[in-house]
Amino acid sequence: MNGLIMDFQLTIPAMLRRAEQLHFAREIVTRRPDKSYHRYTYADMVERSKRLSLALGNLGIKNGDRVGTFSWNHYQHLEAYFGIPGAGAVLHTLNLRLHPNDLTYIAGHAGDKIVLVDDVLWPLFEKFKDQVPFEHVVVIPTTGKPVPAGTLDYEELLASADPARYEYPDLDERQAAAMCYTSGTTGKPKGVVASHRAIVIHSLANGMADTLAVCERDVAQAVVPMFHANAWGLPFCCTLVGSKQVFPGPHLDPQGLLEQIQEERVTITAGVPTIWLGILQILDKDPKAFDLTSLRAMVVGGSAAPPSMIQGFQERHNLKIVHAWGMTELCPMGTVANLPAGLDGASQKEQYAFRAKQGRPVPMVELRGRNENGIIPWDGQAMGELEVRGPWIAAGYYECPEGAASFTDDGWFRTGDIVAIFPDGCIQLQDRAKDVIKSGGEWISSVQLENALMGHPAVAEAAVIPVEHPKWAERPLAVVVLKQDQQASPEELIEFLTPHFAKWWLPDAVEFASEIPRTSAGKFLKSALRDRYRDYYATNGAAMKERKQPA
Ligand code: AMP
């Protein structure tokens, strides 16, 4: 017997209709490239999204066609988030920090027919545009200058459509709405294709109190780029619930972000740890420089939030970091480290220890860990590769047969992340499978060592990588960037780690660097460090301190 409930389709146009009916007066604010502000309301946003849908139809876009975006975070990008799926097409966000060769591959592989490009990004776009057979290039004018010859002007395109002629389409919730390629540090980038249904359920989940609790009263600042994992789903979720949205445009420097938080009274902001480390340094120098009392949560994910950073913000500035874990393949939210009720009366130390982990699964995300002995126990000790399943988790990659290796026979997604799982379901990420250090057959977590090193007052950043070793196969090497005008010797740093780790976990050597190379998403690019220090043992072996491995 089936339930007698409507088969209401969970689609992005239904989210837009709600914004039109309920949130029309709420504001959307963008910082333009010249730092001036653009302000309008959801009523304007809905109207312009409808115009975009119609204009794309006039240009020949049909159900299922891909339309790319090459843009910063701003109101026109938000219009594309709704206007492209609202035309039945697939929003394909292109990561502007990638190499032109990767962008050529990604836009070509996805088959983007039309692409929307910020005028200020034209010099980057020019580097690959002729390699991809786009049918039309639409330029979003943000500086008032005329668009390049041979392109369409976004504003003229919108002006050519009559929003009164827009009819909300009846789409199948399973059809593709948004597409995003994974950064692909190994192999070719792979396309993740989210359905309308996945995005709607993910948005509902982001609004839940034990997830990010995004609500109408919020003023949300998405620092995480809209070209990376859909800015963690915030633009969709905020539109569904009617939060005021604040976009930083290209101004992602700590100073610019702090100004925007203060001026717009931002309540929730989200980005990778690098951003917050920069912000913490500014606030530590002058704690009274900004009024940040409006902020209720700074969501941090993408790589591990160092415990010293969580504690530093809380104790020195009364600001709350909410640590979360996710992946492009998860739309991207997977776990959030909100303090469980059971830890209410716990000591500060225990509470911080929990908040530094990656957290418990968002409702409807299921997880398990697996190593060579099978499924690992939830004892906080055993390490294994994290596998997940749920209603917004990829079931495959777009036209990518080799991607099948990322899925188990019984339908779980293999994340490539190595975790320990605690009895309460909280995960602690130990490493990417490819970054974990395998010393004498045992695993050493580079993430834990990095987190601890970044707790040293002289350390700005630290990455720990494996170097080849004739006896143990791999041993850890720490690459450390010191804060300006600060000093620390390798011995002092190792001594600092000693109380917290088994002896054989301690790095055999510490190298100092002026910076840690980064990926397009602002994460440590460990493969570049591994290449740089590939022959480290051969040249420095004699000087490396050998630490005893357990029997
Ligand atoms: P992406 O698909 O580019 O967002 O990258 C996803 C990967 O980022 C995950 O598989 C993790 O390796 C890493 N990651 C995301 N969130 C965290 C976190 N809170 N702590 C540690 N690593 C993270």
Side-chain angles (χ1 to χ4, degrees):
M1 177 178 173
N2 288 337
L4 287 171
I5 300 294
M6 289 179 191
D7 200 11
F8 184 88
Q9 299 294 291
L10 306 178
T11 66
I12 290 175
M15 292 166 82
L16 193 71
R17 186 161 50 219
R18 181 179 166 86
E20 178 174 30
Q21 291 169 344
L22 275 76
H23 312 311
F24 47 85
R26 291 290 277 158
E27 208 178 15
I28 297 164
V29 182
T30 297
R31 205 155 199 204
R32 294 196 186 95
D34 66 2
K35 295 205 170 172
S36 65
Y37 279 104
H38 173 275
R39 292 172 186 280
Y40 73 175
T41 63
Y42 275 101
D44 304 310
M45 178 279 222
V46 171
E47 190 204 298
R48 286 167 56 92
S49 298
K50 289 180 178 178
R51 287 178 185 269
L52 177 60
S53 298
L54 292 166
L56 289 172
N58 293 342
L59 289 175
I61 287 295
K62 298 198 181 59
N63 227 26
D65 284 346
R66 270 75 64 202
V67 177
T69 59
F70 196 64
S71 291
W72 292 112
N73 291 12
H74 49 50
Y75 67 99
Q76 298 99 328
H77 208 169
L78 183 67
E79 290 157 11
Y81 264 50
F82 286 86
I84 294 171
V90 184
L91 163 77
H92 177 202
T93 47
L94 291 162
N95 182 339
L96 55 95
R97 298 208 179 104
L98 292 180
H99 189 277
N101 292 347
D102 282 334
L103 286 162
T104 303
Y105 171 80
I106 289 171
H109 186 264
D112 293 345
K113 282 195 168 170
I114 295 184
V115 61
L116 314 184
V117 184
D118 284 6
D119 54 359
V120 289
L121 294 171
W122 187 254
L124 284 180
F125 181 69
E126 263 194 316
K127 292 189 181 153
F128 69 98
K129 77 172 173 45
D130 293 335
Q131 269 60 262
V132 185
F134 298 118
E135 287 175 14
H136 299 281
V137 174
V138 179
V139 172
I140 301 174
T142 61
T143 56
K145 292 196 193 120
V147 301
T151 68
L152 301 169
D153 182 319
Y154 180 78
E155 291 302 332
E156 285 176 12
L157 200 65
L158 294 200
S160 71
D162 174 7
R165 300 188 59 177
Y166 182 83
E167 282 174 29
Y168 282 100
D170 284 328
L171 301 176
D172 182 330
E173 64 179 13
R174 291 165 301 181
Q175 92 174 51
M179 187 168 193
C180 191
Y181 278 67
T182 57
S183 330
T185 36
T186 51
K188 287 271 182 221
K190 299 187 192 75
V192 176
V193 185
S195 59
H196 284 256
R197 172 187 156 85
I199 288 173
V200 173
I201 305 178
H202 184 266
S203 303
L204 291 168
N206 261 345
M208 292 179 74
D210 287 326
T211 310
L212 301 185
V214 180
C215 69
E216 191 191 15
R217 276 166 203 283
D218 269 320
V219 180
Q221 178 195 47
V223 178
V224 51
M226 291 169 84
F227 56 74
H228 184 221
N230 289 338
W232 299 349
L234 277 178
F236 289 122
C237 174
C238 291
T239 303
L240 178 67
V241 301
S243 324
K244 171 175 165 180
Q245 298 194 58
V246 174
F247 294 107
H251 305 292
L252 298 175
D253 57 296
Q255 188 79 22
L257 294 173
L258 284 165
E259 281 167 16
Q260 199 173 43
I261 295 170
Q262 174 174 270
E263 284 161 25
E264 300 301 326
R265 305 294 295 158
V266 168
T267 61
I268 179 167
T269 171
V272 292
T274 352
I275 301 266
W276 309 118
L277 284 168
I279 285 188
L280 185 57
Q281 286 197 25
I282 291 194
L283 295 183
D284 280 347
K285 273 196 194 127
D286 184 359
K288 297 224 156 29
F290 295 92
D291 173 6
L292 306 178
T293 48
S294 58
L295 261 186
R296 68 167 178 87
M298 305 159 84
V299 184
V300 179
S303 46
S308 55
M309 182 176 89
I310 300 177
Q311 211 163 330
F313 271 115
Q314 191 73 59
E315 290 178 359
R316 300 198 290 277
H317 308 287
N318 197 24
L319 291 173
K320 185 176 169 199
I321 295 264
V322 176
H323 195 192
W325 167 88
M327 298 181 76
T328 304
E329 287 86 339
L330 276 76
C331 281
M333 295 295 286
T335 63
V336 184
N338 283 316
L339 213 58
L343 284 181
D344 272 353
S347 68
Q348 278 226 323
K349 197 170 159 210
E350 279 176 283
Q351 294 193 351
Y352 279 129
F354 181 91
R355 289 174 53 195
K357 292 178 204 150
Q358 278 67 18
R360 303 202 293 171
V362 174
M364 304 323 289
V365 169
E366 295 185 5
L367 53 80
R368 68 186 185 190
R370 184 203 295 272
N371 63 19
E372 61 279 12
N373 302 321
I375 299 298
I376 60 169
W378 290 20
D379 60 4
Q381 298 287 324
M383 288 193 210
E385 183 183 1
L386 178 65
E387 296 177 353
V388 290
R389 67 177 182 184
W392 55 79
I393 296 172
Y397 292 104
Y398 178 65
E399 295 194 352
C400 176
E402 64 275 22
S406 295
F407 300 88
T408 67
D409 291 341
D410 58 347
W412 293 62
F413 169 62
R414 300 177 53 199
T415 64
D417 282 341
I418 305 297
V419 295
I421 310 177
F422 286 76
D424 61 358
C426 181
I427 60 165
Q428 184 171 30
L429 199 128
Q430 311 289 332
D431 252 313
R432 286 294 292 163
K434 62 184 172 13
D435 290 333
V436 74
I437 301 159
K438 293 173 200 94
S439 175
E442 296 288 336
W443 286 353
I444 296 175
S445 158
S446 64
V447 173
Q448 285 194 40
L449 290 169
E450 287 160 5
N451 278 343
L453 277 168
M454 289 194 267
H456 188 281
V459 175
E461 290 174 354
V464 178
I465 53 161
V467 289
E468 280 178 28
H469 189 282
K471 185 166 170 193
W472 302 118
E474 289 177 354
R475 290 293 304 153
L477 165 73
V479 183
V480 168
V481 180
L482 291 174
K483 287 185 188 153
Q484 244 185 346
D485 309 324
Q486 299 271 351
Q487 293 298 324
S489 67
E491 294 72 30
E492 187 186 332
L493 293 177
I494 298 293
E495 210 168 290
F496 180 74
L497 295 178
T498 304
H500 308 292
F501 297 98
K503 268 219 162 51
W504 62 277
W505 270 48
L506 298 174
D508 284 8
V510 177
E511 283 289 318
F512 293 101
S514 56
E515 60 175 12
I516 308 278
R518 303 236 186 269
T519 68
S520 60
K523 305 180 192 190
F524 292 163
L525 185 59
K526 292 209 189 165
S527 56
L529 287 179
R530 280 200 298 271
D531 288 347
R532 190 187 301 170
Y533 295 106
R534 186 174 300 284
D535 301 324
Y536 193 81
Y537 186 83
T539 40
N540 299 278
M544 279 168 77
K545 182 158 173 52
E546 200 172 296
R547 299 181 203 282
K548 276 229 158 12
Q549 189 90 8

